[in-house]
Amino acid sequence: MEIGVVGKPNVGKSTFFSAATLVDVDIANYPFTTIDANVGVTYAITNHPCKELGCQPKPQNYEYRDGKALIPIKMIDVAGLVPGAHEGRGLGNKFLDDLRMASALIHVVDVTGKTDAEGQPTDHHDPVEDIEFLEREIDYWIYGILHKNWEKFAKRIKLQHLKLAQAIADQLTGIGVSEEDAFEAIHKLGLDNDPTKWSDEDLLAFVRELRKINKPIIIAANKADAAADAQIERLIKKGKSRGYIVVPTSAAAELTLRKAAKAGFIDYVPGSSDFKILKPMSGKQEKALMLIKEKVLDRFGSTGVQEVINRATFELLKLIPVYPVEDEHKLTDQFGNVLPHVHLLPKGSTPRALAYKVHTDLGKTFLYAVNARTHRRVGEDYELEFNDIIKIVATAR
């Protein structure tokens, strides 16, 4: 799974990425600082089952800290986007190419309105326009891929009696569109199964719906510490009316806290509302941290960066963490490690899906599963729940 960090130049996009991943990137106050995509690892953070069960895990594919599971997720910081990107303006082609396989997008917006459409400093920009222009650029990018040969393509589907959703998915496989995505968009709009009857308006409506399904977006209302409450509330309200989650964010504050924690000056868990000073620092450093506490943590409850990542993972993408084990009583793998692995699966997944995630052969030979919490046997129709601990039973091969 990959989450893309997107937005105009100069809105704090690369700062957000650096704060989330601690990958050093060029951060400067001019357009197109990011040219080649930066790739790093961030973490979705949630309560660990051991917090409830009183065990001590030995994680192998995630991290454990203070009762929390830190689950790694690939993050990509792509080039800044400007209007007309789908026509190749700015670094448009590079931008769109970089976000092809992203499962979700974090759209970093300057909530203060001090960055214009081109990424230049201003005092009078409406950040709501940024939401609309990102939608438009992605929509016309996908539309351009389909519209180019649509008439010929539609006729072939009709003449060869092809499955419409599958044919469209095949055309858009390069941007990660599945048959299920295409089918859902067609069904939601009630479009005709004969694509030769689709108008250009139908095709554009389909693309818009497909973008919502295949490239869901969450808004990071960045530089919130420099914005008035009214500015933030307006963006949240406008975003909500368009179906978006909007989170007040200070990427710069998060980056400062994460770097101070890495240097051992403070104890800080991303997403927390406070931090603990561990060792002496200069007066200037301490003053900067106290300012972050007052202007950001006390005002918003957190810097918002971790909340954005968590909500993108668990709310936007509807993923749930599940822990496979071999011994349902001791909660261990074959080597005696307690809850060593966690897998993120779509809500509604079954134990067989978990088995395939662990190993293809395990999925193929799946018999049944055991819920380690209840010690009850469950079949392949059981819907996995958040933080389930599951033993897979399979036939010998």
Side-chain angles (χ1 to χ4, degrees):
M1 187 187 71
E2 184 176 293
I3 293 179
V5 182
V6 301
K8 299 182 310 189
N10 279 346
V11 294
K13 182 175 56 64
S14 291
T15 305
F16 185 102
F17 172 83
S18 189
T21 63
L22 280 188
V23 171
D24 287 329
V25 298
D26 288 331
I27 299 170
N29 192 32
Y30 56 85
F32 306 122
T33 308
T34 303
I35 296 176
D36 293 319
N38 298 300
V39 180
V41 175
T42 187
Y43 296 88
I45 302 178
T46 186
N47 286 333
H48 192 280
C50 279
K51 186 176 183 181
E52 167 197 346
L53 301 173
C55 50
Q56 183 61 43
K58 194 170 182 182
Q60 305 293 307
N61 74 336
Y62 66 98
E63 293 184 24
Y64 177 79
R65 185 173 173 191
D66 299 334
K68 304 279 188 182
L70 283 70
I71 306 170
I73 291 170
K74 184 179 178 183
M75 179 173 275
I76 181 167
D77 169 34
V78 301
L81 186 68
V82 294
H86 70 278
E87 297 170 336
R89 224 180 136 244
L91 296 174
N93 292 331
K94 177 69 176 159
F95 168 91
L96 296 166
D97 191 58
D98 286 340
L99 62 77
R100 282 177 180 274
M101 301 309 292
S103 301
L105 304 177
I106 295 170
H107 184 189
V108 182
V109 173
D110 180 355
V111 69
T112 66
K114 292 187 179 293
T115 314
D116 70 15
E118 304 287 337
Q120 300 290 350
T122 185
D123 288 321
H124 308 291
H125 182 74
D126 184 355
V128 175
E129 292 179 11
D130 296 343
I131 297 175
E132 296 168 351
F133 110 82
L134 182 73
E135 291 176 346
R136 189 166 56 250
E137 293 302 329
I138 297 175
D139 288 346
Y140 278 100
W141 169 50
I142 301 171
Y143 178 80
I145 296 171
L146 286 176
H147 186 260
K148 187 167 51 178
N149 298 306
W150 180 257
E151 192 174 332
K152 186 178 176 182
F153 173 66
K155 284 179 181 176
R156 184 167 65 84
I157 291 172
K158 185 177 181 179
L159 288 171
Q160 297 180 14
H161 304 289
L162 301 177
K163 288 173 67 178
L164 177 58
Q166 181 60 63
I168 289 174
D170 289 344
Q171 284 287 100
L172 297 175
T173 188
I175 61 172
V177 172
S178 68
E179 181 180 356
E180 291 76 16
D181 293 340
F183 179 83
E184 185 180 342
I186 293 165
H187 182 71
K188 263 190 177 177
L189 295 172
L191 293 170
D192 199 297
N193 278 325
D194 179 357
T196 63
K197 295 180 180 178
W198 288 19
S199 64
D200 285 350
E201 290 73 21
D202 289 334
L203 184 58
L204 188 54
F206 166 75
V207 162
R208 284 176 177 144
E209 195 60 45
L210 185 65
R211 182 251 308 155
K212 294 175 188 176
I213 297 165
N214 181 255
K215 295 282 184 279
I217 299 168
I218 185 170
I219 309 294
N222 198 35
K223 306 184 183 181
D225 48 317
D229 288 343
Q231 288 175 299
I232 297 168
E233 287 165 10
R234 179 175 177 274
L235 187 61
I236 290 173
K237 184 178 178 181
K238 292 287 187 179
K240 191 174 179 180
S241 71
R242 301 179 75 89
Y244 291 112
I245 300 166
V246 181
V247 180
T249 306
S250 175
E254 178 70 13
L255 183 57
T256 299
L257 292 171
R258 290 283 302 271
K259 284 187 172 181
K262 187 179 180 181
F265 287 110
I266 63 172
D267 179 20
Y268 171 70
V269 177
S272 299
S273 59
D274 205 352
F275 56 85
K276 181 181 177 183
I277 294 177
L278 298 177
K279 65 182 184 182
M281 61 188 85
S282 71
K284 186 178 179 182
Q285 288 172 318
E286 188 166 347
K287 184 179 179 182
L289 290 175
M290 290 302 107
L291 200 60
I292 287 173
K293 176 168 170 48
E294 177 191 346
K295 300 292 185 183
V296 181
L297 301 182
D298 291 347
R299 182 181 175 190
F300 300 109
S302 77
T303 67
V305 171
Q306 191 59 51
E307 182 183 347
V308 169
I309 296 163
N310 286 351
R311 294 184 75 177
T313 304
F314 303 126
E315 198 171 329
L316 202 63
L317 292 173
K318 297 180 175 63
L319 297 175
I320 59 170
V322 183
Y323 297 79
V325 295
E326 291 215 13
D327 186 324
E328 70 271 33
H329 302 288
K330 296 180 180 178
L331 307 182
T332 58
D333 64 6
Q334 60 180 321
F335 304 109
N337 298 312
V338 176
L339 298 179
H341 296 98
V342 64
H343 294 286
L344 289 173
L345 294 167
K347 187 175 173 60
S349 292
T350 63
R352 186 185 285 274
L354 173 63
Y356 269 109
K357 192 85 170 176
V358 175
H359 197 284
T360 303
D361 287 345
L362 201 60
K364 288 178 179 177
T365 57
F366 174 89
L367 276 180
Y368 63 90
V370 177
N371 186 322
R373 291 177 183 275
T374 63
H375 299 289
R376 290 181 179 174
R377 175 172 167 164
V378 294
E380 62 177 299
D381 59 343
Y382 170 75
E383 285 195 10
L384 296 169
E385 296 184 358
F386 203 98
N387 273 356
D388 259 352
I389 304 170
I390 301 290
K391 174 184 178 177
I392 303 295
V393 179
T395 59
R397 294 194 75 182

